[in-house]
Amino acid sequence: IEDGPLGDTSFEMAGRRVPRDMLDSILEIDFLDRHLHIATRDDISILDIGAGYGRLAHRVMSAFPSLPKYWLNDVVAESSFVCEYYMKFRGLEGRCVLAPGTEIDRILQSAQIELAINTRSFSECPLSAVEWWPGKLAIQGVKYLMIVPNDGNHGGKLLRNNVGQHMLPVIERGGYRLSARESKYADPEVQKFALNPTYYWLFELEKR
């Protein structure tokens, strides 16, 4: 995982080893900062849906130590176990907190989450599971939802799950509207040939 101590796929770039997961996190953070200015915020709480081992949480909270709290949710017990260990390994326990599915309602009600993030796991879910989240987030006033889909055979240009079902209609029915969509890599040639190309989708809760 990540930068050497726990192992990961990495590449030699400008004389240093760069893990793939770190590169992904940097690009996602850059997208969020350009649109939501998280680098200058100290009041935005984040919920990571399908957080895996917590690689994005580690990079966000390390880059922006003034952010108050980062919640991590994953329905796979093994992922949550590894995530808890990894947060302790990175010294982020207390700032990065597991959010079990059984406690989501309580956390959403009390934590004042402003931004929810899903990187690739919605693509692995049935449409019914994806549909559950926007409605739940909207009820609790979560203002922004960022989704990173798997590239599939369309490079992430479409918001589809791995079996080809369109996720955009269920996101919109939940009360969110697209506010930004950008390719992972700014250069078109890099986007075409680089590792794991996709698009970043940012939704904003409609005012009611």
Side-chain angles (χ1 to χ4, degrees):
I1 297 171
E2 297 253 4
D3 49 10
L6 303 177
D8 187 23
T9 302
S10 60
F11 307 90
E12 185 78 26
M13 298 176 66
R16 62 170 293 181
R17 300 300 296 180
V18 178
R20 180 188 65 85
D21 282 1
M22 183 176 74
L23 177 61
D24 283 350
S25 297
I26 289 171
L27 293 170
E28 290 157 5
I29 290 169
D30 177 66
F31 173 81
L32 286 170
D33 189 43
R34 283 187 286 106
H35 291 282
L36 302 182
H37 311 291
I38 61 173
T40 58
R41 299 280 304 273
D42 60 3
D43 61 346
I44 180 170
S45 289
I46 299 171
L47 171 66
D48 197 334
I49 302 167
Y53 71 85
R55 56 97 183 166
L56 184 57
H58 165 221
R59 296 299 177 184
V60 167
M61 299 306 271
S62 297
F64 310 124
S66 63
L67 290 182
K69 191 161 287 189
Y70 195 114
W71 298 89
L72 302 107
N73 166 268
D74 203 296
V75 297
V76 179
E78 292 84 353
S79 293
S80 296
F81 174 80
V82 173
C83 181
E84 186 173 27
Y85 173 86
Y86 187 65
M87 292 302 103
K88 292 179 180 178
F89 178 81
R90 293 298 185 184
L92 291 170
E93 66 271 39
R95 295 183 64 218
C96 294
V97 183
L98 290 183
T102 54
E103 298 183 28
I104 282 297
D105 285 330
R106 178 187 63 80
I107 290 168
L108 287 173
Q109 290 169 6
S110 62
Q112 296 182 322
I113 304 295
E114 183 173 343
L115 167 64
I117 301 171
N118 181 275
T119 58
R120 299 186 181 273
S121 64
F122 276 174
S123 295
E124 301 166 1
C125 295
L127 205 58
S128 59
V130 177
E131 188 171 21
W132 184 87
W133 275 105
K136 181 70 67 174
L137 297 173
I139 288 173
Q140 299 302 331
V142 178
K143 188 173 183 180
Y144 299 104
L145 171 61
M146 177 186 177
I147 301 176
V148 183
N150 284 339
D151 51 302
N153 61 0
H154 49 79
K157 289 182 179 180
L158 303 174
L159 203 61
R160 289 179 176 173
N161 63 12
N162 287 351
V163 296
Q165 296 172 308
H166 288 276
M167 295 185 284
L168 184 58
V170 302
I171 303 298
E172 293 177 335
R173 283 200 299 271
Y176 288 86
R177 290 293 177 265
L178 185 66
S179 63
R181 190 192 73 147
E182 296 179 6
S183 59
K184 176 178 176 179
Y185 303 105
D187 187 295
E189 291 302 304
V190 177
Q191 176 73 6
K192 185 176 180 180
F193 295 109
L195 188 68
N196 300 125
T198 188
Y199 274 69
Y200 299 148
W201 299 65
L202 182 64
F203 296 86
E204 185 172 357
L205 183 63
E206 284 192 304
K207 295 180 180 179
R208 298 178 178 178

